[in-house]
Amino acid sequence: MLYAIISQFVDDCQEKRQQARPAHLERLTALQDQGRLVLAGPHPAIDSEDPGPAGFSGSLIVAEFDSLQSAQAWADADPYAEAGIYAQLTVKPFIQVFPK
């Protein structure tokens, strides 16, 4: 089943986020290589594709996991979580309707 992993970042986390980003992207690449990643990306803090110093306010990952518990465990072990970048992390089931 698919699960949405929705995060809100703590304020002023740009430096910590950049340090943890390579390991975070490595985990996403592994999901992609396994054919389990539907989409992933950050939410700009302002209405711009390049938010510059405003940075990002959170992120969204939609991926396939065996259960809600395994999706939650994967999210909890993310380098961003370990670095204290997430102020809030929500994992919930997701049903993709479009695109088919």
Side-chain angles (χ1 to χ4, degrees):
M1 180 165 190
L2 295 178
Y3 294 88
I5 300 169
I6 307 157
S7 70
Q8 285 293 124
F9 297 163
V10 297
D11 293 333
D12 300 319
C13 67
Q14 285 298 93
E15 186 175 322
K16 286 197 305 188
R17 185 175 165 272
Q18 286 303 316
Q19 291 172 356
R21 191 167 188 259
H24 172 75
L25 294 178
E26 186 177 313
R27 294 180 85 233
L28 290 170
T29 299
L31 282 180
Q32 182 177 9
D33 291 348
Q34 296 164 11
R36 297 171 45 204
L37 183 64
V38 175
L39 63 89
H43 300 288
I46 59 172
D47 189 13
S48 173
E49 287 193 31
D50 181 4
F56 299 93
S57 62
S59 64
L60 170 65
I61 299 167
V62 177
E64 184 179 340
F65 292 92
D66 292 333
S67 66
L68 178 59
Q69 293 78 16
S70 64
Q72 184 71 58
W74 187 92
D76 290 342
D78 190 87
Y80 282 4
E82 293 174 352
I85 294 167
Y86 294 148
Q88 182 177 354
L89 186 64
T90 303
V91 180
K92 55 186 172 180
F94 179 83
I95 296 174
Q96 182 176 353
V97 175
F98 290 101
K100 292 184 178 195

Coordinates of all heavy atoms in Angstrom, one line a residue:
M1 N 0.8 -1.2 0.0 CA 0.0 0.0 0.0 C 0.9 1.2 0.0 O 2.0 1.2 0.5 CB -0.9 0.0 1.2 CG -1.8 1.2 1.3 SD -3.1 0.9 2.5 CE -4.1 2.3 2.1
L2 N 0.3 2.3 -0.5 CA 1.1 3.6 -0.5 C 0.8 4.3 0.8 O -0.3 4.2 1.4 CB 0.6 4.5 -1.7 CG 0.9 4.0 -3.0 CD1 0.4 4.9 -4.1 CD2 2.4 3.8 -3.2
Y3 N 1.8 5.1 1.2 CA 1.8 5.9 2.4 C 2.3 7.3 2.1 O 3.3 7.4 1.4 CB 2.5 5.3 3.6 CG 1.9 4.0 4.0 CD1 2.2 2.8 3.4 CD2 0.8 4.0 5.0 CE1 1.6 1.6 3.8 CE2 0.2 2.8 5.3 CZ 0.6 1.6 4.7 OH -0.1 0.5 5.0
A4 N 1.7 8.3 2.7 CA 2.2 9.7 2.6 C 2.9 10.0 3.9 O 2.4 9.8 5.0 CB 1.0 10.7 2.4
I5 N 4.1 10.5 3.7 CA 5.0 10.9 4.8 C 5.1 12.5 4.7 O 5.7 13.0 3.7 CB 6.4 10.3 4.8 CG1 6.2 8.7 4.8 CG2 7.2 10.8 5.9 CD1 7.5 8.0 4.5
I6 N 4.4 13.2 5.6 CA 4.3 14.6 5.5 C 5.0 15.2 6.7 O 4.7 14.9 7.9 CB 2.8 15.0 5.6 CG1 2.0 14.2 4.5 CG2 2.6 16.5 5.4 CD1 0.5 14.1 4.8
S7 N 6.0 16.1 6.4 CA 6.7 16.7 7.5 C 6.6 18.2 7.5 O 6.4 18.8 6.5 CB 8.2 16.3 7.4 OG 8.8 16.9 6.2
Q8 N 6.8 18.8 8.7 CA 7.0 20.2 8.9 C 8.4 20.3 9.5 O 8.7 19.6 10.4 CB 6.0 20.7 9.9 CG 4.6 20.9 9.3 CD 4.5 22.0 8.2 OE1 4.1 21.7 7.1 NE2 4.9 23.2 8.5
F9 N 9.2 21.2 8.9 CA 10.5 21.5 9.4 C 10.5 22.5 10.6 O 9.7 23.4 10.7 CB 11.4 22.0 8.3 CG 11.7 21.1 7.2 CD1 12.2 21.6 6.0 CD2 11.4 19.8 7.2 CE1 12.4 20.8 4.9 CE2 11.6 18.9 6.1 CZ 12.1 19.5 4.9
V10 N 11.5 22.3 11.5 CA 11.7 23.4 12.5 C 12.2 24.6 11.8 O 12.8 24.6 10.7 CB 12.7 22.9 13.6 CG1 12.2 21.7 14.3 CG2 14.1 22.6 13.0
D11 N 12.1 25.7 12.5 CA 12.6 27.0 11.9 C 14.1 27.0 11.9 O 14.8 26.3 12.7 CB 12.1 28.2 12.8 CG 10.6 28.4 12.7 OD1 10.0 28.0 11.6 OD2 10.1 29.0 13.6
D12 N 14.7 27.7 11.0 CA 16.1 27.9 10.9 C 16.9 26.6 10.8 O 17.9 26.4 11.6 CB 16.7 28.8 12.0 CG 16.0 30.1 12.0 OD1 15.9 30.7 10.9 OD2 15.7 30.6 13.1
C13 N 16.5 25.6 10.0 CA 17.1 24.3 9.9 C 18.0 24.1 8.6 O 18.4 23.0 8.4 CB 16.1 23.2 10.0 SG 15.0 23.1 8.6
Q14 N 18.1 25.2 7.9 CA 18.8 25.1 6.6 C 20.2 24.4 6.7 O 20.5 23.5 5.9 CB 18.9 26.4 5.9 CG 17.6 26.9 5.3 CD 17.1 26.0 4.2 OE1 16.3 25.1 4.5 NE2 17.6 26.2 3.0
E15 N 21.0 24.8 7.6 CA 22.3 24.3 7.7 C 22.3 22.8 8.1 O 23.0 22.0 7.5 CB 23.2 25.1 8.7 CG 24.6 24.6 8.8 CD 25.4 25.5 9.7 OE1 25.2 26.7 9.7 OE2 26.3 24.9 10.4
K16 N 21.5 22.5 9.1 CA 21.4 21.1 9.5 C 20.8 20.2 8.4 O 21.2 19.1 8.2 CB 20.5 20.9 10.8 CG 21.2 21.4 12.0 CD 20.5 20.9 13.3 CE 19.0 21.2 13.4 NZ 18.5 20.9 14.7
R17 N 19.8 20.8 7.7 CA 19.2 20.1 6.6 C 20.2 19.8 5.5 O 20.3 18.7 4.9 CB 18.0 20.9 6.0 CG 17.3 20.2 4.9 CD 16.0 21.0 4.5 NE 15.5 20.5 3.3 CZ 15.9 20.8 2.1 NH1 16.8 21.8 1.9 NH2 15.4 20.3 1.0
Q18 N 21.1 20.7 5.1 CA 22.1 20.5 4.1 C 23.1 19.4 4.5 O 23.5 18.7 3.7 CB 22.8 21.8 3.8 CG 21.9 22.8 3.0 CD 21.5 22.2 1.7 OE1 22.2 21.6 0.9 NE2 20.2 22.4 1.4
Q19 N 23.4 19.4 5.8 CA 24.3 18.4 6.3 C 23.7 17.0 6.2 O 24.4 16.0 5.9 CB 24.7 18.7 7.7 CG 25.6 19.9 7.8 CD 25.9 20.3 9.3 OE1 25.3 19.7 10.2 NE2 26.7 21.3 9.5
A20 N 22.4 16.8 6.5 CA 21.8 15.5 6.5 C 21.2 15.1 5.1 O 20.9 14.0 4.9 CB 20.6 15.5 7.5
R21 N 21.2 16.1 4.2 CA 20.5 15.9 2.9 C 21.1 14.7 2.1 O 20.4 13.9 1.5 CB 20.5 17.1 2.1 CG 19.7 17.1 0.8 CD 19.4 18.5 0.2 NE 18.4 18.4 -0.8 CZ 18.7 18.4 -2.1 NH1 20.0 18.5 -2.5 NH2 17.8 18.3 -3.0
P22 N 22.4 14.5 2.0 CA 23.0 13.4 1.2 C 22.5 12.1 1.7 O 22.1 11.2 0.8 CB 24.5 13.6 1.3 CG 24.7 15.0 1.5 CD 23.5 15.4 2.4
A23 N 22.4 11.9 3.0 CA 22.0 10.6 3.5 C 20.5 10.4 3.3 O 20.0 9.3 3.0 CB 22.3 10.5 5.0
H24 N 19.7 11.5 3.4 CA 18.3 11.5 3.2 C 18.0 11.1 1.7 O 17.2 10.3 1.4 CB 17.7 12.9 3.5 CG 16.3 13.2 3.1 ND1 15.3 12.7 3.8 CD2 15.8 13.9 2.1 CE1 14.1 13.1 3.3 NE2 14.4 13.8 2.2
L25 N 18.7 11.8 0.8 CA 18.5 11.4 -0.6 C 18.9 10.0 -1.0 O 18.3 9.4 -1.8 CB 19.3 12.4 -1.5 CG 18.8 13.9 -1.5 CD1 19.7 14.8 -2.3 CD2 17.4 14.0 -1.8
E26 N 19.9 9.5 -0.3 CA 20.4 8.1 -0.5 C 19.3 7.1 -0.2 O 19.0 6.2 -0.9 CB 21.6 7.9 0.4 CG 22.3 6.5 0.1 CD 23.5 6.3 0.9 OE1 24.4 7.3 0.9 OE2 23.7 5.3 1.6
R27 N 18.6 7.4 0.9 CA 17.4 6.5 1.3 C 16.3 6.6 0.3 O 15.6 5.6 0.0 CB 16.9 6.9 2.7 CG 17.9 6.6 3.8 CD 17.4 7.0 5.1 NE 16.6 5.9 5.7 CZ 15.4 6.0 6.1 NH1 14.8 7.2 6.1 NH2 14.8 5.0 6.6
L28 N 16.0 7.8 -0.2 CA 15.0 8.0 -1.2 C 15.4 7.3 -2.5 O 14.6 6.7 -3.2 CB 14.7 9.5 -1.5 CG 14.0 10.2 -0.3 CD1 14.0 11.7 -0.6 CD2 12.6 9.7 -0.1
T29 N 16.7 7.4 -2.9 CA 17.1 6.7 -4.1 C 17.0 5.2 -3.9 O 16.6 4.5 -4.9 CB 18.6 7.1 -4.3 OG1 18.7 8.5 -4.6 CG2 19.2 6.4 -5.6
A30 N 17.2 4.7 -2.8 CA 17.0 3.2 -2.5 C 15.6 2.8 -2.7 O 15.3 1.8 -3.4 CB 17.5 2.8 -1.1
L31 N 14.6 3.6 -2.2 CA 13.2 3.4 -2.5 C 12.9 3.4 -4.0 O 12.1 2.6 -4.5 CB 12.3 4.4 -1.8 CG 12.1 4.2 -0.3 CD1 11.2 5.4 0.2 CD2 11.5 2.9 0.1
Q32 N 13.5 4.4 -4.7 CA 13.2 4.5 -6.1 C 13.8 3.3 -6.8 O 13.1 2.8 -7.7 CB 13.9 5.8 -6.6 CG 13.7 6.1 -8.1 CD 14.2 7.4 -8.6 OE1 15.0 8.1 -7.8 NE2 13.9 7.7 -9.8
D33 N 15.0 2.9 -6.5 CA 15.6 1.7 -7.1 C 14.8 0.5 -6.9 O 14.8 -0.4 -7.8 CB 17.0 1.5 -6.6 CG 18.0 2.6 -7.1 OD1 17.6 3.4 -8.0 OD2 19.1 2.7 -6.5
Q34 N 14.0 0.4 -5.8 CA 13.2 -0.7 -5.5 C 11.8 -0.6 -6.2 O 11.0 -1.5 -6.0 CB 13.0 -0.9 -4.0 CG 14.3 -1.2 -3.3 CD 14.2 -0.9 -1.8 OE1 13.1 -0.7 -1.2 NE2 15.3 -0.9 -1.1
G35 N 11.6 0.5 -6.9 CA 10.3 0.7 -7.5 C 9.2 1.1 -6.6 O 8.0 0.9 -6.9
R36 N 9.5 1.6 -5.4 CA 8.5 1.9 -4.3 C 8.2 3.4 -4.2 O 7.3 3.7 -3.5 CB 9.0 1.3 -3.0 CG 9.1 -0.2 -3.1 CD 9.8 -0.8 -1.8 NE 9.3 -0.3 -0.6 CZ 10.1 -0.3 0.5 NH1 11.3 -0.8 0.5 NH2 9.6 0.3 1.6
L37 N 9.0 4.2 -4.7 CA 8.8 5.7 -4.6 C 7.9 6.2 -5.7 O 8.2 6.1 -6.8 CB 10.2 6.4 -4.6 CG 10.2 7.9 -4.4 CD1 9.7 8.2 -3.0 CD2 11.6 8.5 -4.6
V38 N 6.9 6.9 -5.2 CA 5.9 7.6 -6.2 C 6.4 9.0 -6.4 O 6.5 9.4 -7.6 CB 4.5 7.5 -5.7 CG1 3.5 8.3 -6.6 CG2 4.0 6.1 -5.5
L39 N 6.6 9.7 -5.3 CA 7.1 11.1 -5.5 C 7.7 11.5 -4.1 O 7.4 11.0 -3.1 CB 6.0 12.1 -5.9 CG 4.8 12.2 -4.9 CD1 5.1 13.3 -3.9 CD2 3.6 12.6 -5.7
A40 N 8.6 12.5 -4.2 CA 9.2 13.1 -3.0 C 9.7 14.5 -3.3 O 10.2 14.8 -4.4 CB 10.4 12.2 -2.5
G41 N 9.5 15.4 -2.4 CA 10.1 16.7 -2.6 C 9.7 17.6 -1.4 O 8.8 17.3 -0.6
P42 N 10.4 18.8 -1.4 CA 10.2 19.8 -0.3 C 9.1 20.8 -0.6 O 8.7 21.0 -1.8 CB 11.5 20.5 -0.2 CG 12.0 20.5 -1.6 CD 11.5 19.2 -2.2
H43 N 8.6 21.4 0.4 CA 7.6 22.5 0.3 C 8.4 23.8 0.5 O 8.9 24.1 1.6 CB 6.5 22.5 1.4 CG 5.7 21.2 1.4 ND1 4.8 20.9 0.4 CD2 5.7 20.2 2.2 CE1 4.2 19.8 0.7 NE2 4.8 19.3 1.8
P44 N 8.5 24.7 -0.6 CA 9.2 25.9 -0.4 C 8.5 26.8 0.6 O 7.2 26.8 0.7 CB 9.1 26.6 -1.8 CG 8.9 25.4 -2.7 CD 8.1 24.4 -2.0
A45 N 9.2 27.5 1.4 CA 8.6 28.4 2.5 C 7.9 29.6 1.9 O 7.1 30.2 2.5 CB 9.7 28.8 3.4
I46 N 8.2 29.9 0.6 CA 7.5 31.0 -0.1 C 7.1 30.5 -1.5 O 7.5 29.4 -1.9 CB 8.5 32.2 -0.3 CG1 9.7 31.8 -1.1 CG2 8.8 32.8 1.0 CD1 10.6 33.0 -1.5
D47 N 6.3 31.2 -2.1 CA 5.7 30.8 -3.4 C 6.7 31.0 -4.5 O 6.7 31.9 -5.3 CB 4.4 31.6 -3.7 CG 3.7 31.1 -4.9 OD1 4.0 30.0 -5.4 OD2 2.8 31.8 -5.4
S48 N 7.7 30.1 -4.6 CA 8.8 30.1 -5.6 C 9.4 28.8 -5.7 O 9.6 28.0 -4.7 CB 9.8 31.2 -5.1 OG 11.0 31.1 -5.9
E49 N 9.8 28.4 -6.9 CA 10.6 27.2 -7.1 C 11.9 27.2 -6.5 O 12.5 26.2 -6.2 CB 10.6 26.8 -8.6 CG 9.3 26.3 -9.1 CD 9.4 25.7 -10.5 OE1 10.4 25.1 -10.8 OE2 8.4 25.8 -11.2
D50 N 12.5 28.4 -6.4 CA 13.8 28.6 -5.7 C 13.6 29.6 -4.6 O 13.6 30.8 -4.8 CB 14.8 29.2 -6.7 CG 16.2 29.4 -6.1 OD1 16.4 29.0 -4.9 OD2 17.1 29.9 -6.8
P51 N 13.3 29.1 -3.4 CA 13.0 30.0 -2.3 C 14.2 30.7 -1.7 O 14.0 31.6 -0.8 CB 12.4 29.1 -1.2 CG 13.0 27.8 -1.5 CD 13.2 27.7 -3.0
G52 N 15.4 30.4 -2.2 CA 16.6 31.1 -1.7 C 16.7 31.0 -0.2 O 16.5 29.9 0.4
P53 N 17.1 32.1 0.5 CA 17.3 32.0 1.9 C 16.0 31.7 2.7 O 16.1 31.3 3.9 CB 17.8 33.4 2.3 CG 17.7 34.3 1.1 CD 17.4 33.4 -0.1
A54 N 14.8 31.8 2.1 CA 13.6 31.5 2.9 C 13.6 30.0 3.1 O 13.0 29.5 4.1 CB 12.4 31.9 2.1
G55 N 14.2 29.2 2.3 CA 14.3 27.8 2.5 C 13.0 27.0 2.3 O 12.2 27.4 1.5
F56 N 12.9 26.0 3.0 CA 11.7 25.0 2.9 C 11.1 24.8 4.2 O 11.7 24.9 5.3 CB 12.2 23.7 2.3 CG 12.9 23.8 1.0 CD1 14.2 24.0 0.8 CD2 12.1 23.8 -0.2 CE1 14.8 24.2 -0.4 CE2 12.6 24.0 -1.4 CZ 14.0 24.2 -1.6
S57 N 9.7 24.6 4.2 CA 9.0 24.5 5.4 C 8.7 23.1 5.8 O 8.2 22.8 6.9 CB 7.7 25.3 5.3 OG 6.9 24.7 4.2
G58 N 8.9 22.1 4.8 CA 8.6 20.7 5.1 C 8.7 19.9 3.8 O 9.3 20.4 2.8
S59 N 8.2 18.7 3.8 CA 8.3 17.9 2.6 C 7.2 16.8 2.6 O 6.5 16.6 3.6 CB 9.7 17.2 2.6 OG 9.8 16.3 3.7
L60 N 7.1 16.2 1.4 CA 6.1 15.2 1.2 C 6.8 14.0 0.5 O 7.6 14.2 -0.5 CB 5.0 15.7 0.3 CG 4.0 14.6 -0.3 CD1 3.2 14.0 0.9 CD2 3.1 15.3 -1.3
I61 N 6.6 12.8 1.0 CA 7.1 11.6 0.3 C 5.9 10.7 0.2 O 5.1 10.5 1.2 CB 8.2 10.9 1.2 CG1 9.4 11.8 1.4 CG2 8.6 9.5 0.6 CD1 10.3 11.3 2.4
V62 N 5.7 10.1 -1.0 CA 4.6 9.1 -1.2 C 5.4 7.8 -1.7 O 6.1 7.9 -2.7 CB 3.5 9.5 -2.1 CG1 2.6 8.4 -2.4 CG2 2.8 10.8 -1.6
A63 N 5.3 6.8 -0.9 CA 6.0 5.5 -1.3 C 5.2 4.3 -0.8 O 4.3 4.4 0.1 CB 7.4 5.5 -0.6
E64 N 5.6 3.2 -1.3 CA 5.0 1.9 -1.0 C 5.7 1.2 0.2 O 6.9 1.1 0.2 CB 5.0 1.0 -2.2 CG 4.3 -0.3 -2.0 CD 4.3 -1.2 -3.2 OE1 4.5 -0.7 -4.3 OE2 4.1 -2.4 -3.0
F65 N 4.9 0.8 1.2 CA 5.4 0.1 2.3 C 4.5 -1.1 2.6 O 3.3 -1.1 2.2 CB 5.6 1.0 3.5 CG 6.6 2.0 3.4 CD1 6.3 3.3 2.9 CD2 7.9 1.8 3.8 CE1 7.3 4.3 2.8 CE2 8.9 2.7 3.6 CZ 8.6 4.0 3.2
D66 N 5.0 -2.1 3.3 CA 4.1 -3.2 3.7 C 3.0 -2.9 4.7 O 2.0 -3.6 4.7 CB 5.0 -4.3 4.3 CG 6.0 -5.0 3.3 OD1 5.7 -4.9 2.1 OD2 7.0 -5.5 3.7
S67 N 3.2 -1.9 5.5 CA 2.3 -1.5 6.5 C 2.5 -0.1 7.0 O 3.6 0.5 6.7 CB 2.4 -2.5 7.7 OG 3.6 -2.3 8.4
L68 N 1.5 0.4 7.7 CA 1.7 1.7 8.3 C 2.8 1.7 9.3 O 3.6 2.7 9.4 CB 0.4 2.1 9.0 CG 0.4 3.4 9.8 CD1 0.7 4.6 8.9 CD2 -0.9 3.7 10.5
Q69 N 3.0 0.6 10.0 CA 4.1 0.5 11.0 C 5.5 0.6 10.3 O 6.4 1.2 10.8 CB 4.0 -0.8 11.8 CG 2.8 -0.8 12.8 CD 1.4 -1.1 12.1 OE1 1.4 -1.5 10.9 NE2 0.3 -0.7 12.7
S70 N 5.6 -0.1 9.2 CA 6.9 -0.1 8.5 C 7.1 1.3 7.8 O 8.3 1.8 7.8 CB 7.0 -1.2 7.4 OG 6.1 -1.0 6.4
A71 N 6.1 2.0 7.4 CA 6.3 3.3 6.8 C 6.7 4.3 7.9 O 7.6 5.1 7.8 CB 5.0 3.8 6.2
Q72 N 6.0 4.1 9.1 CA 6.4 5.0 10.3 C 7.8 4.7 10.7 O 8.6 5.7 11.0 CB 5.4 4.8 11.4 CG 5.6 5.7 12.6 CD 5.2 7.1 12.3 OE1 4.1 7.4 11.9 NE2 6.1 8.0 12.4
A73 N 8.2 3.5 10.8 CA 9.6 3.1 11.2 C 10.6 3.7 10.2 O 11.6 4.2 10.6 CB 9.7 1.6 11.3
W74 N 10.3 3.6 8.9 CA 11.2 4.2 7.9 C 11.3 5.7 8.1 O 12.4 6.2 8.0 CB 10.7 3.8 6.5 CG 11.6 4.2 5.4 CD1 12.6 3.5 4.8 CD2 11.7 5.5 4.7 NE1 13.3 4.2 3.9 CE2 12.7 5.4 3.8 CE3 11.0 6.7 4.8 CZ2 13.1 6.5 3.0 CZ3 11.3 7.7 4.0 CH2 12.3 7.6 3.1
A75 N 10.2 6.4 8.3 CA 10.2 7.8 8.4 C 11.0 8.2 9.7 O 11.7 9.2 9.7 CB 8.8 8.3 8.5
D76 N 10.7 7.5 10.8 CA 11.4 7.8 12.0 C 12.9 7.6 12.0 O 13.6 8.3 12.7 CB 10.8 6.9 13.2 CG 9.4 7.3 13.5 OD1 8.9 8.4 13.2 OD2 8.7 6.4 14.2
A77 N 13.4 6.8 11.1 CA 14.8 6.5 10.9 C 15.5 7.4 9.9 O 16.7 7.3 9.6 CB 15.0 5.0 10.6
D78 N 14.7 8.3 9.3 CA 15.3 9.2 8.3 C 16.4 10.1 8.9 O 16.2 10.6 10.1 CB 14.2 10.0 7.7 CG 14.7 10.8 6.5 OD1 14.6 10.2 5.4 OD2 15.1 11.9 6.6
P79 N 17.4 10.4 8.2 CA 18.4 11.3 8.7 C 17.9 12.7 9.1 O 18.4 13.3 10.0 CB 19.4 11.4 7.5 CG 19.3 10.1 6.8 CD 17.8 9.8 6.9
Y80 N 16.9 13.2 8.4 CA 16.3 14.4 8.8 C 15.6 14.3 10.2 O 15.8 15.2 11.1 CB 15.2 14.9 7.8 CG 15.7 15.5 6.6 CD1 17.1 15.6 6.3 CD2 14.8 16.0 5.6 CE1 17.5 16.2 5.1 CE2 15.3 16.6 4.5 CZ 16.6 16.7 4.2 OH 17.1 17.3 3.1
A81 N 15.0 13.2 10.5 CA 14.4 13.0 11.8 C 15.5 12.9 12.9 O 15.4 13.5 13.9 CB 13.6 11.7 11.8
E82 N 16.5 12.1 12.5 CA 17.7 12.0 13.5 C 18.4 13.3 13.8 O 18.9 13.5 14.8 CB 18.6 10.9 13.0 CG 18.0 9.5 13.0 CD 18.9 8.4 12.3 OE1 19.9 8.8 11.7 OE2 18.5 7.3 12.4
A83 N 18.4 14.2 12.8 CA 19.1 15.5 12.9 C 18.2 16.5 13.6 O 18.6 17.7 13.8 CB 19.5 16.0 11.6
G84 N 17.0 16.2 13.9 CA 16.1 17.1 14.6 C 15.5 18.2 13.7 O 15.1 19.3 14.1
I85 N 15.4 17.9 12.4 CA 14.9 18.8 11.4 C 13.3 18.8 11.4 O 12.7 19.8 11.1 CB 15.4 18.5 10.0 CG1 16.9 18.8 10.0 CG2 14.8 19.2 8.9 CD1 17.7 18.2 8.9
Y86 N 12.7 17.7 11.7 CA 11.3 17.6 11.7 C 10.7 18.1 13.0 O 10.9 17.6 14.1 CB 10.8 16.2 11.5 CG 11.2 15.5 10.2 CD1 11.4 14.2 10.1 CD2 11.2 16.3 9.0 CE1 11.7 13.6 8.9 CE2 11.5 15.7 7.8 CZ 11.8 14.3 7.8 OH 12.1 13.7 6.6
A87 N 9.8 19.2 12.8 CA 9.0 19.6 14.0 C 7.8 18.7 14.1 O 7.3 18.5 15.3 CB 8.6 21.1 13.8
Q88 N 7.3 18.3 13.0 CA 6.1 17.4 13.0 C 6.3 16.4 11.9 O 6.7 16.8 10.8 CB 4.8 18.2 12.8 CG 3.6 17.3 12.9 CD 2.4 18.2 12.8 OE1 2.4 19.4 12.8 NE2 1.2 17.5 12.7
L89 N 5.9 15.1 12.1 CA 6.0 14.1 11.1 C 4.7 13.3 11.1 O 4.4 12.7 12.2 CB 7.2 13.2 11.4 CG 7.5 12.2 10.3 CD1 7.9 12.8 9.0 CD2 8.7 11.3 10.8
T90 N 4.0 13.2 10.0 CA 2.8 12.5 9.9 C 2.9 11.4 8.8 O 3.4 11.7 7.7 CB 1.6 13.4 9.6 OG1 1.5 14.5 10.5 CG2 0.3 12.7 9.5
V91 N 2.5 10.2 9.2 CA 2.5 9.1 8.2 C 1.1 8.5 8.2 O 0.6 8.2 9.2 CB 3.5 8.0 8.6 CG1 3.5 6.9 7.6 CG2 4.9 8.6 8.8
K92 N 0.6 8.5 6.9 CA -0.8 7.9 6.8 C -1.0 7.3 5.5 O -0.3 7.6 4.5 CB -1.8 9.0 7.1 CG -1.7 10.2 6.2 CD -2.8 11.3 6.7 CE -2.6 12.6 6.0 NZ -3.6 13.5 6.5
P93 N -1.9 6.3 5.4 CA -2.2 5.6 4.2 C -2.6 6.6 3.1 O -3.2 7.7 3.4 CB -3.4 4.7 4.5 CG -3.3 4.6 6.0 CD -2.8 5.9 6.5
F94 N -2.3 6.2 1.8 CA -2.6 7.1 0.7 C -3.1 6.2 -0.5 O -2.5 5.2 -0.7 CB -1.3 7.8 0.3 CG -1.5 8.7 -0.9 CD1 -2.0 10.0 -0.8 CD2 -1.1 8.3 -2.2 CE1 -2.1 10.9 -1.8 CE2 -1.2 9.2 -3.3 CZ -1.7 10.4 -3.1
I95 N -4.1 6.7 -1.1 CA -4.6 6.0 -2.3 C -4.4 6.9 -3.5 O -5.0 8.0 -3.5 CB -6.1 5.5 -2.1 CG1 -6.2 4.5 -1.0 CG2 -6.6 4.9 -3.5 CD1 -7.6 4.1 -0.7
Q96 N -3.6 6.5 -4.4 CA -3.4 7.2 -5.7 C -4.6 7.0 -6.6 O -4.8 5.9 -7.0 CB -2.1 6.8 -6.3 CG -1.8 7.7 -7.5 CD -0.4 7.3 -8.1 OE1 0.3 6.6 -7.6 NE2 -0.1 7.9 -9.3
V97 N -5.3 8.1 -7.0 CA -6.4 8.1 -7.9 C -5.9 8.5 -9.3 O -6.2 7.9 -10.3 CB -7.5 8.9 -7.5 CG1 -8.6 8.9 -8.5 CG2 -8.1 8.4 -6.1
F98 N -5.1 9.6 -9.3 CA -4.5 10.1 -10.6 C -3.1 10.4 -10.4 O -2.7 10.8 -9.3 CB -5.2 11.4 -11.0 CG -6.6 11.2 -11.5 CD1 -7.7 11.5 -10.6 CD2 -6.9 10.8 -12.7 CE1 -9.0 11.3 -11.0 CE2 -8.2 10.6 -13.2 CZ -9.3 10.9 -12.3
P99 N -2.2 10.3 -11.4 CA -2.6 9.7 -12.7 C -2.7 8.2 -12.5 O -2.1 7.6 -11.6 CB -1.4 10.1 -13.6 CG -0.2 10.3 -12.6 CD -0.8 10.8 -11.3
K100 N -3.4 7.7 -13.5 CA -3.7 6.2 -13.5 C -2.6 5.5 -14.2 O -1.9 6.0 -15.0 CB -5.0 5.9 -14.1 CG -6.1 6.3 -13.2 CD -7.4 5.9 -13.8 CE -8.6 6.4 -12.9 NZ -9.8 5.8 -13.2

